[in-house]
Amino acid sequence: QLQASGGGLVQAGDSLRLSCAASGRTAYINVMGWFRQAPGKEREFVAAITLSGGSTYYADSVKGRFTISRDNAKNTVYLQMNTLEPEGTAVYYCAASRVIMPTYARAYDYWGQGTLVTVSS
């Protein structure tokens, strides 16, 4: 089970940190990622991290502004989002995968319920 939290309403240029806590059968997880879906658009990859080596992956649109990190002891992954833009308004989903195909949504086995981020201009 994945529980995402931390969404909210912010202004453009603000920062926000999302959290995703995994519970239950977590031993299978090799990668955790964040995706987002804006109204009327398809779900898109945002960032991912491998739990063992800590390798990170980012969409070009968020590189330099977003940082993904993990706390293996807490089975939690974080997404620090800085300099948010109105285009970042979306429901953000965390997901967990056994295979290491971090940018490919269909590779993820489990998904959280999503947390809404709204960025006003």
Side-chain angles (χ1 to χ4, degrees), residues 2-44:
L2 301 176
Q3 182 68 41
S5 61
L9 172 63
V10 297
Q11 293 186 332
D14 285 351
S15 298
L16 205 58
R17 189 176 82 155
L18 305 183
S19 299
C20 177
S23 60
R25 297 175 59 195
T26 59
Y28 73 92
I29 300 174
N30 286 305
V31 177
M32 291 188 71
W34 288 96
F35 291 75
R36 66 186 179 187
Q37 187 165 18
K41 295 188 177 181
E42 294 185 353
R43 189 172 299 188
E44 65 174 0

Side-chain angles (χ1 to χ4, degrees), residues 43-116:
R43 189 172 299 188
E44 65 174 0
F45 169 74
V46 176
I49 187 167
T50 61
L51 298 190
S52 58
S55 297
T56 57
Y57 307 82
Y58 296 97
D60 288 343
S61 59
V62 306
K63 280 181 182 176
R65 299 187 298 116
F66 289 15
T67 302
I68 189 170
S69 61
R70 87 254 195 239
D71 183 336
N72 288 349
K74 295 182 179 180
N75 291 325
T76 300
V77 171
Y78 305 96
L79 184 67
Q80 177 66 42
M81 306 186 293
N82 297 330
T83 319
L84 281 161
E85 302 170 342
E87 293 75 19
T89 295
V91 177
Y92 284 71
Y93 298 91
C94 66
S97 174
R98 292 168 295 173
V99 298
I100 302 179
M101 298 177 67
T103 67
Y104 188 49
R106 294 192 177 189
Y108 288 79
D109 305 285
Y110 294 94
W111 292 80
Q113 84 287 1
T115 184
L116 177 62

